[in-house]
Amino acid sequence: MVSVAEASSIVFGHLSRHSVKTVPFQEAVNCVLAENILADRDFPPFNRVAMDGIAIRFEAWAMGRLTFLIEGLQPAGVPQKTLEDGANCFEVMTGAVLPINTDTVIRYEDLDIKNGTASITTDSIIKGQNIHSQGKDAPLGSVLLEPGTLLLPAEVALLAAVGKHKVQIFDFPAAAIVASGDELVDVEAAPELHQIRRSNTYAIQAAMKMLGWEGTVFHLMDDKDKMITDLKRIAESFKVIILSGGVSKGKFDFVPAVLEQIGITKLFHTVNQRPGKPFWFGVSKGGITVFALPGNPVSTYMCFYRYIKPWLLKSAGVRSDHLEAVLAKDFAFSGALTYFLQVMVRVDNGKLMAYPDPGGGSGDFANLKNVTGFLELPANRNNFIAGETFSYIPFRTI
Amino acid sequence: MVSVAEASSIVFGHLSRHSVKTVPFQEAVNCVLAENILADRDFPPFNRVAMDGIAIRFEAWAMGRLTFLIEGLQPAGVPQKTLEDGANCFEVMTGAVLPINTDTVIRYEDLDIKNGTASITTDSIIKGQNIHSQGKDAPLGSVLLEPGTLLLPAEVALLAAVGKHKVQIFDFPAAAIVASGDELVDVEAAPELHQIRRSNTYAIQAAMKMLGWEGTVFHLMDDKDKMITDLKRIAESFKVIILSGGVSKGKFDFVPAVLEQIGITKLFHTVNQRPGKPFWFGVSKGGITVFALPGNPVSTYMCFYRYIKPWLLKSAGVRSDHLEAVLAKDFAFSGALTYFLQVMVRVDNGKLMAYPDPGGGSGDFANLKNVTGFLELPANRNNFIAGETFSYIPFRTI
C-alpha cells in the first residue's frame, strides 16, 4: 500500500506525451494550447484614438488656445490623415488612427462644438490623453500565449487578433472507460432487483467531456478469460484505460491479475485513502496508462478528480494552483487513512468555507449532487477543527 | 444614465423564456435540466453488500459464535439467495444483494478462512455493518434533481442510474453576435495599418460556447441604411442579439438609433460604470432581447460576464452564489463610477485574494490573459483598502 503522496508522485511521474493537432481557432475554446502565439504587429498597431472627440497638438492648448477650427474627420477604419495647421483640430472617432501632427484627444463631453469649431470646456488636459499608444499592450514579436495555456475566451480573442485562424492544441489520448461487474446493466434496461444501471462510466465520460477529452464506454462481465480477450483488444486501440470496479478483494475481482497478464506493469495497488483504497495504477511498455479504480461511485469520482484530471492537465503543461479551503465545522474520522471528505464549499466574506457532508459512504453517489468537492484530510489524525485549512479538490466551480 | 444596480435589475427583470429540448443524457453534461428527475426505485434498490467478506446473523456472533461454516456464495449481479442455517454464513461480494436471513457483513480483513470455514479475528462488530441499506440514499419516488440544475458529472451519473436515457434540458435561444466598425477585418485577412482583426465577437462566441450556448457571428459596416437592413434581417432569425461597438458618442455610432428604428425599445443607454459605460439594452414586443455593448474589448468582456451570462442562467432558473473576494492591495480610482477592476484571484490559505492588475484601459484585451475576473468597486468611493471584500465576477475558475 502506498500513501496518497506516493500515489500522486507515481501517477504524476508517468505523464502522457500528448500529441498535437491543428484546429480552427473558434473550436479551440477550453482546449490547451500547444504552440507559442506571437504578436504579429504591435498591440495596438497604431496610436489608437480611445474616445470620440477631437485630436489637437497639445502645444497649441498649452499656449492658450481654447477654440479650434475642425480641419477634418478621422473615422475608424480609414487610413491615417494629417492635420495641416497645428492651430486646428481633427474630429476623431474611437478606434481611429490618431492623425499625423496631433498628440492629444479631448472627448466630446469636454467640448462645445458649433459651426465647424470646437471649444474646450475643461481646464484639465494632459498631453497624450485618450490615446492608446502603439505597442503599449504588447510589442510586435512578443509572446502573447505559451504552450500549456488553457484557451478561454480572452485567449480566443488574442488568437483572432493575431490572425491565428488555425491553432495547435494538445490532442488528448484516446481513452477507454471500462466498467466491470455482473450486476451492471444498460441505462436503457429495466434492471432486475439484484441489478443496477451503469453510472460510473458515464460520470467519468462526462467529467472527461468537460475537459475536452473523449472517452469510449465499455462494459465487461466478471469472467476472467473473456476479460483478458476484451481488455487485450481495448489495449490495442486506446492509450489510456480507466477501469471502474473489480480491483478489490472479492472472488471476482480479476482486474489486477488480468491487467498484469496483458502486459500492464503494476506501479501500485491500494492507496492509504478513503474512499478509493483499492486503486490500482500501471503502465505498459507500449505507452498505455491504466487507472483501475474501485467501483464504488464516490471512489471512482474522487480518484478521477484527485489523480486523473491533474495527470491529464499536467501532461499538457497546464499550471494549476493548489487550492485550500477552510473547514467550517469540526469533523472527526477514526482511521489512519487520508480521508477525502465530501464538502459543500461556499464563499463567505471572501473565504472558501467547507461544510462537511460525508453522505452515506462510498456507495452513496446521490450525495455528490449536494457537495462541491473533496477536502483532503491527512492520515494519522482523527480530529479536524473548524477554522483549519486543508487541500481542496473541487468538481464544481464556485 | 442608470446605476449598475438599476441596469442589473432591468436586465434581470427581462429574463428569457427558454424553450425545452430532449437530448441523450450523455450529451446533457454542462446543460441545465428542465424537468424533475425522480428515483425510479429505492437507492440503493436492495440491501447492498458494501465490502467483500461474509454475511452472518448478528445474533449468532452475539451469542458467542466465532467460526462459521460457509454455506454458499452471493456474488454481485446474482438473484438474492437465502442462508438456511442461522449458525452458518454466506460469502458475499461488494455490490451483491445481502442474502435472506443475514444482517451483518464482516470484511475479509477481519477473517481467517480455511477449509470452507470463516473464523472472525476481530472483536468489534456492529449489527448491520458494511451494508448499504435499501433506500438509505433516496427512497423510490423522491426528487433527485430539479429544473434549473446544472448537469455536471455527478448529475449525469444520477440520470444514468434512474434510466433517464433521454432528458429535457433548456434550449438556449439562438443568438447573433454582431460586430460593427469599419476598422474591423476578418481573422484571415492581412489588415492595413489602420485596420484590426475582429476579436470581440469570437470572445463572446467562445464564452457562450462554454455555457453550451450557440452564437452566430456577423459584421456590419458603419453605414446606417445598410445597418437597418442587416439588423432587421438578423432580428427575424434570432431571439437574442449581442452587439459590440457603435453605441457611444461617435459620428458613426448608429447602433442605438438603428435599434429603435427596427422596433427594439430602449430600456437603458449608458450605465454608471467603467468599463462599459455606453452599454445599451432593449427588448422588442416580439420577444427579442438586445444587448448592445461598447466595442472596447474589455468593456465587451466585462458586460458579458456581469450581465449577459447571469441573465442567461437566471432565465434557466440556475441558482448561483454571489461571490466575494478580498482586495489584496490598496487601490485608488478617481471617478464617481462603479469600477470593474481587473484582478488576478489566488487562494491564499482558504481566502480568495484579489490582486489588482488594471492593464492599459478598456482597449487592452491582452491584459485579460493575466487576470481571472473583475472586482466590482462601488461608485462614489475612490480609495479601496487592502483587506476589504468586494463582489467578484470570475471569468476563469480557480
Side-chain angles (χ1 to χ4, degrees):
Chain A
M1 186 156 71
V2 295
S3 69
V4 167
E6 286 160 347
S8 302
S9 124
I10 293 168
V11 168
F12 303 146
H14 289 81
L15 295 180
S16 160
R17 283 183 60 95
H18 297 333
S19 55
V20 168
K21 66 179 173 183
T22 302
V23 298
F25 78 101
Q26 302 102 312
E27 291 173 20
V29 58
N30 208 29
C31 297
V32 181
L33 184 66
E35 62 174 322
N36 275 309
I37 299 296
L38 305 181
D40 69 322
R41 54 204 302 221
D42 285 334
F43 278 75
F46 46 79
N47 289 320
R48 181 178 161 274
V49 174
M51 294 291 269
D52 303 313
I54 60 166
I56 60 166
R57 286 165 63 93
F58 179 77
E59 203 185 62
W61 177 81
M63 303 282 281
R65 179 171 291 277
L66 288 178
T67 299
F68 295 79
L69 184 71
I70 300 175
E71 200 182 282
L73 174 66
Q74 176 80 57
V78 166
Q80 188 180 30
K81 298 183 180 180
T82 302
L83 182 72
E84 300 294 343
D85 183 340
N88 293 343
C89 72
F90 242 78
E91 210 166 346
V92 291
M93 299 298 120
T94 303
V97 189
L98 186 73
I100 294 169
N101 283 335
T102 68
D103 57 18
T104 298
V105 170
I106 328 275
R107 56 181 194 165
Y108 280 136
E109 289 88 336
D110 295 331
L111 297 173
D112 192 12
I113 294 189
K114 259 187 219 137
N115 305 321
T117 299
S119 302
I120 295 178
T121 59
T122 178
D123 33 344
S124 112
I125 294 177
I126 297 161
K127 187 174 177 178
Q129 73 180 20
N130 298 325
I131 295 165
H132 192 185
S133 311
Q134 178 173 348
K136 187 185 177 225
D137 304 340
L140 166 69
S142 59
V143 177
L144 295 176
L145 300 171
E146 290 177 346
T149 302
L150 183 65
L151 296 170
L152 293 179
E155 286 77 23
V156 170
L158 283 173
L159 295 176
V162 301
K164 198 76 196 170
H165 52 93
K166 301 240 175 194
V167 63
Q168 288 185 7
I169 58 169
F170 285 110
D171 190 13
F172 296 153
I177 314 166
V178 185
S180 71
D182 285 352
E183 74 276 28
L184 303 175
V185 299
D186 277 353
V187 172
E188 305 204 12
E192 306 284 321
L193 173 72
H194 56 280
Q195 298 175 323
I196 57 172
R197 296 189 186 91
R198 284 203 303 277
S199 62
N200 285 358
T201 44
Y202 297 111
I204 295 176
Q205 192 183 37
M208 289 171 62
K209 194 175 176 188
M210 295 195 70
L211 301 170
W213 188 15
E214 210 184 321
T216 307
V217 167
F218 297 90
H219 177 211
L220 305 184
M221 301 301 276
D222 296 326
D223 171 325
K224 195 169 178 182
D225 292 335
K226 184 94 173 53
M227 198 180 268
I228 290 173
T229 316
D230 289 346
L231 272 179
K232 238 186 208 159
R233 196 175 318 117
I234 288 170
E236 283 163 15
S237 309
F238 294 91
K239 281 287 173 199
V240 178
I241 305 174
I242 301 172
L243 292 111
S244 167
V247 290
S248 193
K249 294 181 184 300
K251 276 196 154 8
F252 307 99
D253 288 344
F254 301 129
V255 166
V258 166
L259 287 172
E260 300 225 48
Q261 210 162 323
I262 67 164
I264 315 290
T265 306
K266 176 180 81 174
L267 296 178
F268 62 74
H269 185 195
T270 72
V271 180
N272 192 34
Q273 62 184 9
R274 182 178 303 162
K277 191 171 166 193
F279 177 20
W280 188 103
F281 177 72
V283 296
S284 81
K285 281 192 189 149
I288 300 170
T289 307
V290 179
F291 301 88
L293 313 180
N296 265 324
V298 181
S299 311
T300 304
Y301 211 68
M302 187 284 286
C303 288
F304 182 86
Y305 283 98
R306 177 61 176 79
Y307 299 100
I308 301 180
K309 179 184 171 185
W311 172 85
L312 183 86
L313 295 179
K314 276 178 205 285
S315 295
V318 178
R319 289 172 300 275
S320 63
D321 287 342
H322 173 83
L323 281 189
E324 284 180 331
V326 181
L327 187 63
K329 284 187 182 176
D330 290 353
F331 184 78
F333 170 70
S334 63
L337 305 151
T338 298
Y339 183 61
F340 289 93
L341 172 64
Q342 293 175 55
V343 291
M344 149 67 89
V345 162
R346 250 182 275 137
V347 177
D348 290 346
N349 216 25
K351 258 192 187 169
L352 293 175
M353 299 302 294
Y355 295 85
D357 186 356
S362 60
D364 177 14
F365 63 109
N367 195 60
L368 292 172
K369 73 180 192 308
N370 305 324
V371 296
T372 60
F374 296 96
L375 210 60
E376 185 171 334
L377 303 180
N380 302 314
R381 276 185 62 186
N382 294 321
N383 289 292
F384 304 91
I385 313 300
E388 288 188 274
T389 61
F390 298 99
S391 285
Y392 173 55
I393 299 107
F395 51 76
R396 295 176 199 281
T397 59
I398 41 168
Chain B
M1 186 156 72
V2 296
S3 69
V4 167
E6 286 160 347
S8 303
S9 121
I10 293 168
V11 169
F12 303 146
H14 289 82
L15 294 180
S16 159
R17 283 183 59 95
H18 297 332
S19 55
V20 167
K21 66 178 173 184
T22 302
V23 297
F25 78 102
Q26 302 101 313
E27 292 173 19
V29 58
N30 208 28
C31 297
V32 181
L33 183 66
E35 61 174 323
N36 276 308
I37 300 297
L38 305 181
D40 69 323
R41 53 204 303 218
D42 285 334
F43 278 76
F46 46 79
N47 289 322
R48 180 179 161 275
V49 174
M51 295 292 268
D52 303 313
I54 60 165
I56 60 164
R57 286 166 62 93
F58 179 78
E59 205 184 63
W61 176 81
M63 303 283 280
R65 179 171 290 278
L66 289 178
T67 299
F68 294 81
L69 184 71
I70 300 176
E71 200 181 282
L73 174 65
Q74 175 80 57
V78 166
Q80 187 179 32
K81 299 185 178 181
T82 302
L83 181 73
E84 300 295 343
D85 182 341
N88 292 344
C89 73
F90 242 78
E91 209 166 348
V92 291
M93 299 298 120
T94 303
V97 189
L98 186 74
I100 294 169
N101 282 335
T102 69
D103 57 18
T104 298
V105 170
I106 329 275
R107 56 180 194 164
Y108 281 135
E109 289 88 334
D110 296 330
L111 295 174
D112 191 12
I113 295 189
K114 260 188 223 138
N115 306 323
T117 299
S119 303
I120 296 178
T121 58
T122 178
D123 33 343
S124 114
I125 295 177
I126 298 162
K127 187 175 179 178
Q129 73 181 22
N130 299 324
I131 295 165
H132 192 184
S133 311
Q134 178 173 348
K136 186 184 177 224
D137 305 338
L140 166 69
S142 59
V143 177
L144 294 176
L145 301 171
E146 290 178 345
T149 301
L150 183 65
L151 296 170
L152 293 179
E155 286 76 22
V156 170
L158 282 173
L159 295 176
V162 302
K164 198 74 197 171
H165 52 93
K166 300 240 175 195
V167 62
Q168 289 186 7
I169 58 168
F170 285 111
D171 190 12
F172 296 153
I177 313 166
V178 185
S180 71
D182 286 352
E183 75 276 27
L184 303 176
V185 298
D186 277 353
V187 173
E188 306 203 12
E192 305 283 319
L193 174 73
H194 56 280
Q195 297 175 324
I196 57 172
R197 296 188 186 93
R198 286 203 303 277
S199 61
N200 285 356
T201 45
Y202 297 111
I204 295 176
Q205 192 183 37
M208 289 170 63
K209 195 176 175 188
M210 295 195 69
L211 300 170
W213 188 16
E214 209 183 322
T216 307
V217 168
F218 297 90
H219 177 209
L220 306 184
M221 300 301 276
D222 296 325
D223 171 325
K224 194 168 177 181
D225 292 336
K226 184 90 173 54
M227 198 180 268
I228 290 172
T229 317
D230 289 345
L231 272 179
K232 236 185 209 160
R233 196 176 317 117
I234 288 170
E236 283 163 14
S237 310
F238 295 91
K239 281 290 174 198
V240 178
I241 303 174
I242 301 171
L243 292 110
S244 167
V247 291
S248 193
K249 294 180 184 299
K251 276 195 153 10
F252 308 99
D253 288 344
F254 302 129
V255 166
V258 167
L259 287 171
E260 300 227 47
Q261 210 163 323
I262 68 164
I264 315 289
T265 306
K266 176 181 82 176
L267 296 178
F268 62 74
H269 186 195
T270 72
V271 180
N272 192 36
Q273 64 186 9
R274 182 177 302 163
K277 191 172 166 191
F279 177 21
W280 188 104
F281 177 73
V283 295
S284 81
K285 280 191 188 149
I288 300 169
T289 308
V290 179
F291 301 88
L293 313 180
N296 265 323
V298 181
S299 311
T300 304
Y301 211 68
M302 187 284 286
C303 288
F304 183 86
Y305 283 99
R306 177 62 177 78
Y307 299 100
I308 301 179
K309 179 184 171 184
W311 171 85
L312 183 87
L313 295 179
K314 277 177 204 287
S315 295
V318 178
R319 289 171 301 277
S320 62
D321 286 343
H322 173 82
L323 280 191
E324 283 179 332
V326 181
L327 187 63
K329 284 186 181 178
D330 291 353
F331 185 79
F333 170 71
S334 63
L337 305 151
T338 298
Y339 183 62
F340 289 92
L341 172 64
Q342 293 174 55
V343 290
M344 149 67 89
V345 163
R346 250 183 275 137
V347 177
D348 291 346
N349 214 23
K351 258 192 187 170
L352 293 174
M353 299 302 294
Y355 294 85
D357 186 356
S362 60
D364 177 14
F365 63 109
N367 195 60
L368 292 172
K369 72 181 190 308
N370 305 324
V371 296
T372 59
F374 296 96
L375 209 60
E376 185 170 335
L377 303 180
N380 302 314
R381 275 185 62 186
N382 294 321
N383 289 293
F384 304 92
I385 312 301
E388 288 190 274
T389 62
F390 298 99
S391 286
Y392 173 55
I393 300 107
F395 50 76
R396 295 177 200 280
T397 59
I398 42 166

